[in-house]
Amino acid sequence: MSYPGYPPTGYPPFPGYPPAGQESSFPPSGQYPYPSGFPPMGGGAYPQVPSSGYPGAGGYPVPGGYPAPGGYPGAPQPGGAPSYPGVPPGQGFGVPPGGAGFSGYPQPPSQSYGGGPAQVPLPGGFPGGQMPSQYPGGQPTYPSQPATVTQGTHGTIRPAANFDAMRDAEILRKAMKGFGTDEQAIVDVVANRSNDQRQKIKAAFKTSYGKDLIKDLKSELSGNMEELILALFMPPTYYDAWSLRKAMQGAGTQERVLIEILCTRTNQEIREIVRCYESEFGRDLEKDIRSDTSGHFERLLVSMCQGNRDENQSINHQMAQEDAQRLYQAGEGRLGTDESCFNMILATRSFPQLRATMEAYSRMANRDLLSSVSREFSGYVESGLKTILQCALNRPAFFAERLYCAMKGAGTDDSTLVRIVVTRSEIDLVQIKQMFSQMYQKTLGTMIAGDTSGDYRRLLLAIVGQ
């Protein structure tokens, strides 16, 4: 069953996805020294979303191919689901005047950033991409913001001006010397330095005092605060490799950690992770994946850890149409599912190309591709495929959803909270915060404050800029 009037008709094609050459390089500054001589990170394209100006440059249509709660005629309002302020229930579809963008799903009256047009729809706030069963179609379309921005300009942490590694090392030494620990002094330093600067502080500490800063910190801290501090002092690629190793160590496997890292990183980042995993832990990442997973999920992760996704930012619209047809024939259009077809297309096409394919699929199948994946797959392979599509549409929204799920309900998934806040703090945490507020009608800082305590809370809030 599909949404009434979905997909919309009459809107123009999507000409303005980021052209080739506008991708950015990673890391934003400096080279990261690795714990045992691992080579520095190289360049790589990392498409992200802008902090202002919706829709983005190039004239791609207004994102938002999903209805707001109550946004189609007669839709029931699920309990507790966020609704658009000022939008009357039952407001229908229809192509807006001029035919620009997607058809008229209700829009919030004044949602914009940096003076951009008020055309940013709220995604409905259903964690995990699931919509209550009374909604036709079963789930909303993921919020879409295809664009490219400069790497490192949308993090909450930036390199400190007038940085002095020796002075910071001395501050940390005094904070840990004697009886007790001055946690606030530690927070003030680590939350206001880039990862590159933290690596220099580690080196300065050993040079000045002949001691290992990380060992000293571990002896002074414990619990979640210790995990957060240690994560902040790991070079980014090493932290990803360490997180993957930890997810596959011992009994059981943390499949969602494997998905979160391998399905969201760029080719360059994945290749560096694979090399770091081998050099630091003496193990082959692909072999570990094969021994800890199975079936179509195993094949998807093996495809991901090759780091061979097409990163050409231009779009082939004919290929998008053909891929959409192939995906339909591999899923909705047949009895059973041709999983290898989904794996091949989602593992090899560039993210802008996948966005175009999703548009073509919606027009052709009268259902969005995310919904079809949910109908055709289950378990972790479903989660992996959906993560790829969600990142193609809006990577910050994916991480906002992961953060929300880590904190909702009883208990907190602190490892996920720490990992996402730390790994995105210099990349796109500003966008993640914006999407979090739009999706859940509360700020990320407010939810962190309610779910954590003590120095751990203080450091997390300092990182997210609260």
Side-chain angles (χ1 to χ4, degrees), residues 5-15 17 60-62 64-65 94-96 98-105 355-364:
Y6 185 83
T9 57
Y11 57 82
F14 28 95
Y17 288 111
Y60 56 80
V62 179
V95 179
F102 288 81
S103 69
Y105 294 133
R355 285 194 292 268
T357 300
M358 295 171 78
E359 297 289 351
Y361 188 94
S362 293
R363 289 194 294 267
M364 178 194 69

Side-chain angles (χ1 to χ4, degrees), residues 45-48 142 240 244 256-270 273 301 304-305 309 311 346 351 383-384 386-392 394-399 402 419-420 423-424 427-428:
Y46 204 99
Q48 297 171 12
Y142 212 71
D240 277 346
L244 291 171
R256 295 197 181 277
V257 176
L258 306 183
I259 292 170
E260 178 196 306
I261 295 174
L262 294 174
C263 294
T264 66
R265 303 307 195 242
T266 66
N267 287 348
Q268 184 67 30
E269 290 166 343
I270 288 173
I273 289 168
L301 293 184
M304 291 297 99
C305 73
R309 181 182 299 281
E311 290 189 333
L346 270 61
F351 284 137
S383 298
K386 287 171 66 176
T387 294
I388 294 169
L389 294 174
Q390 288 164 343
C391 286
N394 188 333
R395 187 182 272 106
F398 165 76
F399 285 114
R402 286 280 288 154
R419 188 174 55 255
I420 294 177
T423 58
R424 312 312 294 183
I427 300 174
D428 56 358

